[in-house]
């Protein structure tokens, strides 16, 4: 009488000795351990390649909890044959695997192989077509496919739709939306529920690195005396106007990102955390589980002017230093920190804990140094 070896977790961990040579080393690992490995992989491009390795990998990838969708470049939409209303917009190309189709199709591995190398795309300007829902049968669809130059492109929602257990989702755009002049520092971090919870903006008119500081010292560069107050020149030379532009631009960018995440948030109810950032490190939008659930329950208010979430009336606190010397030796010229909360929020705008943790070093230290200075209060109407 002959017996067949069962392909179950027990036989994978404890295979019969005589059959050991017929197993790949990964066959000796339990599913739970493989899922931990896939969670470390995270990137959809690499997960797509894992899907074509074996039927077992193919069946496990949908249960990955940590997923990264990285947008690699922006491509022109001029060659697209789509009748999209925004046909002249720029488009994202994500050189990632079409996991959605790879996961959904359990049959043809040759088809899966082709899908692994298919770029994913959607329009860049306003990101509406990149993350937006299907408007008509002829328009670029959030869930559909588009042929361009003989290559099939897929939207991020289509890539993610067959993941069943995503808990931590990261989406990385190729660049920040805000075009700033060379040398200017501008970073923002925003938290959203159904509307803006808070936003922090750190800016500087220029950044002098530590090696440049030494040269300046050798050349006897004179620094204006700083008594902790905003100098009169800040109001007269356009300094304040520039900071207002930074603030409004950052809020618009954050609210546009938030608006366009609705379909993903609605579909993936297992999410504990979502982060939408960019490769430049310019802006970061974050949502935790409570905020994600709030958006599902309470519909957001959209701006009538564009595809973004309406920014509520705001209370703002501004800190400014003509020069900020950081511990690493670099210097921020015209360093500015703006802390923002909705006017109706009961939380304190000047809470040091959330301000100092908003940025990576050395900019977290810069924020901590700035909030020790004199605070200036501002208000802004909803827009």
């Amino acid at each position: 009488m002959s017996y067949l070896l069962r392909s179950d977790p027990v036989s994978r961990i404890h295979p019969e000795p005589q059959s050991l040579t017929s197993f790949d080393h990964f066959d000796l690992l339990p599913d739970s351990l493989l899922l931990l490995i896939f969670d470390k992989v995270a990137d959809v491009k690499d997960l797509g390649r894992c899907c074509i390795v074996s039927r077992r990998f193919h069946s496990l990838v949908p249960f990955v909890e940590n997923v990264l969708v990285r947008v690699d470049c922006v491509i022109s939409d001029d060659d697209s044959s789509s009748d999209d209303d925004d046909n002249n917009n720029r488009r994202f190309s994500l050189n990632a695997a079409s996991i959605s189709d790879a996961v959904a199709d359990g049959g043809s591995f040759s088809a899966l192989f082709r899908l692994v190398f298919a770029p994913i795309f959607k329009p860049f300007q306003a990101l509406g077509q990149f993350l937006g829902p299907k408007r008509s049968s002829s328009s670029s669809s959030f869930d559909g496919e588009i042929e361009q130059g003989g290559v099939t492109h897929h939207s991020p929602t289509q890539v993610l739709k067959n993941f069943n257990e995503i808990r931590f989702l990261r989406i990385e755009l190729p660049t920040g939306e805000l075009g700033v002049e060379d040398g200017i520092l501008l970073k923002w971090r925003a938290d959203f529920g159904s509307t803006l919870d808070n936003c922090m903006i750190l800016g500087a008119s220029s950044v002098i690195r530590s090696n440049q500081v030494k040269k300046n010292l050798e050349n006897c560069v004179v620094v204006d005396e700083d008594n902790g107050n905003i100098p009169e020149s800040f109001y007269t030379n356009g300094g304040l106007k520039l900071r207002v532009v930074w603030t409004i631009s950052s809020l618009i960018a954050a609210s546009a990102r938030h608006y366009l995440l609705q379909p993903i948030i609605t579909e993936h109810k297992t999410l504990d955390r979502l982060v939408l950032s960019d490769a430049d490190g310019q802006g970061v939008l974050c949502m935790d589980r409570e905020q994600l659930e709030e958006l599902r329950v309470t519909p957001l208010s959209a701006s009538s002017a564009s595809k973004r979430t309406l920014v509520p009336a705001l209370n703002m606190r501004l800190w400014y230093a003509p020069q900020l010397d950081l511990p690493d030796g670099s210097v921020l010229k015209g360093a500015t920190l703006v802390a923002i909360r909705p006017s109706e929020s009961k939380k304190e705008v000047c809470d040091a804990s959330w301000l100092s943790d908003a940025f990576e070093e050395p900019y977290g230290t810069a924020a901590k140094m700035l909030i020790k200075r004199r605070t200036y209060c501002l208000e802004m109407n909803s827009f």
Side-chain angles (χ1 to χ4, degrees):
M1 182 179 295
S2 61
Y3 296 92
L4 295 177
L5 183 64
R6 293 179 56 193
S7 180
D8 57 26
V10 175
S11 64
R12 290 185 187 123
I13 300 173
H14 305 290
E16 294 295 331
Q18 62 271 25
S19 303
L20 184 60
T21 57
S22 66
F23 282 88
D24 183 89
H25 290 296
F26 275 98
D27 288 318
L28 304 178
L29 302 177
D31 290 351
S32 58
L33 183 54
L34 281 179
L35 283 172
L36 288 176
I37 295 173
F38 290 153
D39 280 337
K40 296 295 183 181
V41 172
D43 193 299
V44 292
K45 175 174 61 178
D46 297 324
L47 289 173
R49 289 169 176 157
C50 290
C51 275
I52 65 172
V53 171
S54 70
R55 294 186 183 276
R56 184 187 178 199
F57 284 15
H58 184 276
S59 66
L60 289 177
V61 165
F63 299 98
V64 170
E65 296 182 350
N66 181 19
V67 177
L68 168 63
V69 178
R70 182 177 286 115
V71 180
D72 294 313
C73 64
V74 178
I75 62 176
S76 173
D77 186 41
D78 295 339
D79 298 331
S80 175
S81 59
S82 169
D83 293 328
D84 191 348
D85 296 338
D86 298 311
N87 194 47
N88 292 320
N89 290 342
R90 291 185 293 167
R91 298 179 180 274
F92 281 135
S93 174
L94 286 70
N95 295 320
S98 176
I99 304 276
S100 57
D101 293 339
V103 170
D105 180 8
S108 173
F109 281 87
S110 61
L112 295 179
F113 183 82
R114 289 195 299 271
L115 287 169
V116 165
F117 300 100
I120 307 157
F121 103 173
K122 280 295 171 185
F124 170 69
Q125 192 173 20
L127 302 181
Q129 302 307 308
F130 177 64
L131 295 173
K134 186 173 182 178
R135 296 195 303 272
S136 68
S137 59
S138 63
S139 65
S140 294
S141 168
F142 177 68
D143 295 316
E145 300 178 355
I146 294 178
E147 290 287 338
Q148 185 184 44
V151 179
T152 301
H153 303 280
H154 304 269
S155 72
T157 295
Q158 186 179 10
V159 173
L160 296 170
K161 70 179 181 181
N162 285 296
F163 284 92
N164 303 321
E165 301 290 341
I166 301 178
R167 296 193 178 278
F168 180 24
L169 174 61
R170 292 169 291 159
I171 301 175
E172 183 182 281
L173 306 180
T175 59
E177 298 92 328
L178 308 181
V180 295
E181 297 179 6
D182 291 342
I184 291 180
L185 170 70
L186 181 59
K187 294 181 175 292
W188 60 265
R189 150 89 183 246
D191 287 23
F192 277 82
S194 60
T195 187
L196 179 70
D197 276 355
N198 61 69
C199 182
M200 292 73 69
I201 302 167
L202 179 67
S205 55
S206 65
V207 181
I208 304 176
R209 305 301 176 185
S210 55
N211 57 339
Q212 295 175 303
V213 172
K214 294 178 181 178
K215 293 180 180 179
N216 289 344
L217 290 174
E218 293 173 359
N219 295 329
C220 299
V221 174
V222 178
V223 179
D224 295 336
E225 183 179 352
D226 180 12
N227 58 9
N229 295 324
I230 295 181
E232 187 65 28
S233 59
F234 180 76
Y235 304 99
T236 59
N237 66 3
L240 178 59
K241 180 180 178 181
L242 177 61
R243 271 67 181 179
V244 171
V245 171
W246 288 352
T247 300
I248 295 175
S249 299
S250 298
L251 288 169
I252 289 175
S255 60
R257 291 188 187 186
H258 177 251
Y259 178 86
L260 299 160
L261 288 172
Q262 291 179 88
I264 292 175
I265 294 171
T266 300
E267 184 169 341
H268 296 277
K269 294 181 171 57
T270 58
L271 277 172
D272 289 330
R273 183 168 173 78
L274 189 155
V275 175
L276 178 52
S277 60
D278 57 77
D280 290 341
Q282 187 181 89
V284 180
L285 182 149
C286 300
M287 300 180 71
D288 60 25
R289 185 169 187 82
E290 183 179 344
Q291 293 165 332
L292 291 163
E293 188 60 31
E294 179 186 323
L295 179 58
R296 296 188 189 102
V297 174
T298 307
L300 60 78
S301 297
S303 169
S304 59
S306 59
K307 294 181 179 180
R308 61 176 179 82
T309 302
L310 184 70
V311 177
L314 304 170
N315 286 330
M316 302 187 292
R317 300 292 184 269
L318 183 146
W319 296 267
Y320 175 81
Q323 175 172 309
L324 197 66
D325 299 302
L326 300 181
D328 68 351
S330 57
V331 175
L332 303 184
K333 293 285 190 177
T336 308
L337 178 67
V338 181
I340 304 168
R341 284 196 189 275
S343 300
E344 297 180 354
S345 176
K346 297 179 181 180
K347 298 178 181 178
E348 176 57 48
V349 178
C350 296
D351 185 356
S353 60
W354 67 280
L355 291 174
S356 59
D357 295 336
F359 306 104
E360 295 181 355
E361 294 301 332
Y363 304 113
T365 297
K368 293 176 184 177
M369 295 171 66
L370 283 167
I371 60 178
K372 296 178 181 179
R373 303 175 66 88
R374 182 172 177 179
T375 305
Y376 293 81
C377 302
L378 302 169
E379 293 183 353
M380 185 176 292
N381 293 329
S382 175
F383 64 93

